[in-house]
């Protein structure tokens, strides 16, 4: 009773509000809960652990990486003192993602191995599955598509499964894997199926993520008229709450599209899109080239386009490029058309010469 009950109610409300996409309100509730625990001088270490990891997740979503690391470290310290392996696993998992963004892939992989080991010790299928999802997020950031595709095959996700938090989470992850494989129609179909179910339950954070994935898929299928309004919807939702990570994690296929929103009539939107583009360039992509390549003052080749151009310069034919990158011929042609447009060239030989000028080869 008393302070303990008040603390639990506040943290539960903070969780619900987070799923609704209200990061600012959720953060305030979590900080109020922490303040309550200090003011009433009662010991609720398990609650402090839970609050710390949730604050870490909020900071991570905003790309406030130092603050996220600090909260995750507090969670780990408290979790060790009370032998809370679940919180310890969550703390290591989020730290792994942060270290990957900061460029320390070796430490990221080490921490993720620790997180997976802790999850395995629970012998709980639900907890192991939750830990595995974070491991797949890291695999995507490290461009290790084989691990991600293996998870998708094992998961055998059925879009008509009963709705749950795990189902929603797995759909969004599978959507990202489809994007990384250039399976744009599958990503579109999956998000069109998921979005109304999430909307119905007021889970607007997931709706935003679905919009980002579907927008990216539509854009690469050539449907800019569908893609840009969806992306703008996601951006407008993200601005007041400061969401950045859901965009950055799809950097490899949305950076070009964000450039189209940079000239918005709305000043706040222009400034926010600039932050998103900066975060996308900082984060890892999911293809063999991990950085965008500026070609003039206004445009850059995406990581995937830079890779395709490099393969062209190395003499590969379109079928060979499709085989090497494991995408369809139509996708290869789509990338080549974009490359020609950005470089201002009309032939393979002109593209190769321009690539040499830009030091891409």
């Amino acid at each position: 009773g008393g302070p303990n009950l008040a603390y639990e109610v506040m943290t539960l409300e903070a969780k619900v509000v987070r799923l609704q996409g209200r990061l600012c309100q959720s953060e305030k509730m979590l900080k109020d809960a922490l303040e309550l625990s200090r003011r009433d001088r009662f010991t609720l270490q398990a609650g402090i652990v839970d609050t710390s990891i949730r604050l870490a997740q909020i900071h991570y979503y905003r790309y406030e990486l130092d603050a996220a690391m600090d909260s995750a470290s507090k969670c780990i310290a408290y979790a060790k003192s009370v032998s809370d392996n679940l919180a310890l696993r969550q703390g290591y998992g989020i730290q792994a993602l942060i270290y990957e963004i900061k460029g320390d892939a070796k430490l990221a992989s080490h921490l993720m191995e620790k997180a997976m080991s802790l999850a395995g010790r629970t012998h709980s299928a639900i907890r192991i599955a939750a830990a595995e999802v974070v491991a797949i997020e890291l695999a995507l950031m490290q461009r290790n598509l084989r691990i991600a595709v293996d998870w998708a095959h094992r998961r055998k996700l059925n879009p008509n499964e009963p709705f749950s938090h795990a189902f929603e989470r797995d759909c969004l992850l599978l959507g990202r894997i489809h994007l990384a494989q250039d399976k744009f129609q599958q990503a579109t179909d999956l998000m069109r199926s998921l979005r109304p179910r999430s909307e119905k339950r007021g889970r607007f954070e997931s709706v935003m993520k679905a919009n980002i994935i579907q927008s990216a898929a539509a854009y690469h299928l050539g449907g800019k008229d569908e893609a840009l309004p969806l992306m703008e919807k996601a951006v407008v939702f993200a601005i007041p709450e400061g969401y950045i990570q859901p965009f950055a994690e799809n950097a490899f296929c949305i950076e070009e599209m964000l450039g189209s929103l940079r000239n918005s009539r709305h000043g706040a939107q222009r400034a926010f899109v600039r932050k998103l583009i900066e975060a996308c360039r900082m984060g890892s992509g999911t293809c063999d080239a991990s950085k965008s390549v500026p070609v003039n003052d206004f445009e850059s080749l995406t990581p995937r386009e830079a890779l395709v151009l490099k393969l062209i310069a190395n003499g590969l034919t379109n079928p060979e490029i499709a085989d090497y990158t494991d995408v369809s011929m139509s996708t290869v042609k789509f990338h080549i058309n974009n490359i020609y447009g950005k470089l201002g060239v009309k032939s393979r030989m002109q593209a190769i010469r321009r690539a040499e000028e830009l030091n891409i080869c």
Side-chain angles (χ1 to χ4, degrees):
N4 292 57
L5 180 60
Y7 189 100
E8 285 173 22
V9 168
M10 289 167 85
T11 52
L12 183 61
E13 283 182 356
K15 182 180 180 181
V16 172
V17 165
R18 222 306 294 286
L19 292 172
Q20 292 170 344
R22 292 185 282 165
L23 287 191
C24 297
Q25 191 176 347
S26 182
E27 181 183 25
K28 183 180 184 306
M29 286 175 167
L30 290 169
K31 287 181 174 176
D32 285 348
L34 274 176
E35 184 57 36
L36 176 70
S37 70
R38 294 192 190 101
R39 192 172 63 239
D40 288 294
R41 295 183 183 180
F42 69 94
T43 303
L44 192 61
Q45 282 188 304
I48 292 169
V49 166
D50 184 51
T51 304
S52 297
I53 197 61
R54 290 188 196 189
L55 284 169
Q57 289 164 347
I58 289 172
H59 290 307
Y60 177 68
Y61 268 129
R62 290 181 177 147
Y63 241 48
E64 297 165 349
L65 301 181
D66 291 340
M69 185 66 81
D70 183 55
S71 289
S73 298
K74 284 176 183 169
C75 168
I76 289 167
Y78 277 120
K80 283 180 177 175
S81 71
V82 294
S83 301
D84 185 340
N85 283 349
L86 169 61
L88 204 53
R89 185 265 296 169
Q90 291 176 309
Y92 286 141
I94 202 161
Q95 282 194 340
L97 300 179
I98 295 166
Y99 275 117
E100 179 62 32
I101 294 168
K102 286 175 172 281
D104 195 336
K106 190 174 179 182
L107 182 53
S109 296
H110 173 67
L111 287 165
M112 194 58 74
E113 283 170 17
K114 287 174 77 169
M116 288 302 296
S117 173
L118 285 164
R121 281 186 226 160
T122 66
H123 303 292
S124 160
I126 292 171
R127 290 185 175 181
I128 291 169
E132 199 171 18
V133 163
V134 185
I136 300 306
E137 286 182 23
L138 180 64
L140 284 174
M141 290 166 78
Q142 294 181 333
R143 305 182 295 285
N144 194 335
L145 198 49
R146 190 172 296 170
I147 290 175
V149 172
D150 177 59
W151 172 86
H153 286 318
R154 283 185 287 108
R155 175 61 177 85
K156 292 186 178 69
L157 194 140
N158 177 352
N160 298 315
E161 283 178 28
F163 190 93
S164 67
H165 169 68
F167 166 77
E168 183 182 60
R169 174 198 70 201
D170 293 355
C171 280
L172 291 167
L173 182 59
L174 183 57
R176 289 179 57 204
I177 294 170
H178 284 332
L179 287 184
Q181 291 181 285
D182 289 350
K183 292 183 175 179
F184 301 122
Q185 193 57 57
Q186 287 96 319
T188 298
D189 294 343
L190 186 59
M191 293 305 104
R192 281 181 177 158
S193 168
L194 175 68
R195 196 205 294 82
R197 300 178 75 182
S198 294
E199 272 178 341
K200 184 180 174 184
R201 292 162 177 83
R203 300 168 74 92
F204 298 114
E205 180 176 285
S206 297
V207 172
M208 173 190 63
K209 290 179 181 180
N211 283 339
I212 294 168
I213 293 167
Q214 189 179 333
S215 172
Y219 190 82
H220 286 274
L221 287 168
K224 292 186 181 181
D225 290 345
E226 179 189 359
L228 290 173
L230 273 171
M231 184 57 72
E232 191 163 19
K233 208 172 186 179
V235 167
V236 167
F237 180 85
I239 289 172
E241 306 299 338
Y243 279 103
I244 289 180
Q245 171 57 20
F247 297 88
E249 68 188 7
N250 295 297
F252 70 100
C253 61
I254 70 164
E255 190 181 326
E256 181 181 342
M257 195 181 352
L258 287 172
S260 304
L261 298 177
R262 196 165 39 189
N263 300 320
S264 162
R265 295 187 305 275
H266 307 293
Q269 187 168 311
R270 279 201 309 273
F272 190 73
V273 167
R274 279 197 295 271
K275 281 176 72 175
L276 292 179
I277 291 171
E278 191 180 313
C280 283
R281 287 176 181 167
M282 179 183 176
S284 300
T286 58
C287 57
D288 292 335
S290 63
K291 291 181 180 176
S292 57
V293 178
V295 294
N296 55 47
D297 289 341
F298 305 102
E299 289 190 298
S300 296
L301 294 182
T302 65
R304 185 67 60 100
E305 289 164 357
L307 173 62
V308 170
L309 180 55
K310 191 171 184 179
L311 297 175
I312 289 172
N314 287 336
L316 273 69
T317 63
N318 284 11
E320 287 170 336
I321 293 170
D323 185 54
Y324 182 90
T325 54
D326 196 25
V327 300
S328 67
M329 280 288 289
S330 61
T331 300
V332 170
K333 289 174 184 173
F334 171 80
H335 288 315
I336 290 173
N337 284 336
N338 279 349
I339 291 165
Y340 284 7
K342 289 180 179 183
L343 297 181
V345 300
K346 293 180 180 177
S347 71
R348 255 175 147 75
M349 283 311 300
Q350 288 177 351
I352 292 168
R353 280 199 294 273
R354 186 81 176 92
E356 288 168 354
E357 290 169 15
L358 291 167
N359 256 345
I360 293 172
C361 311

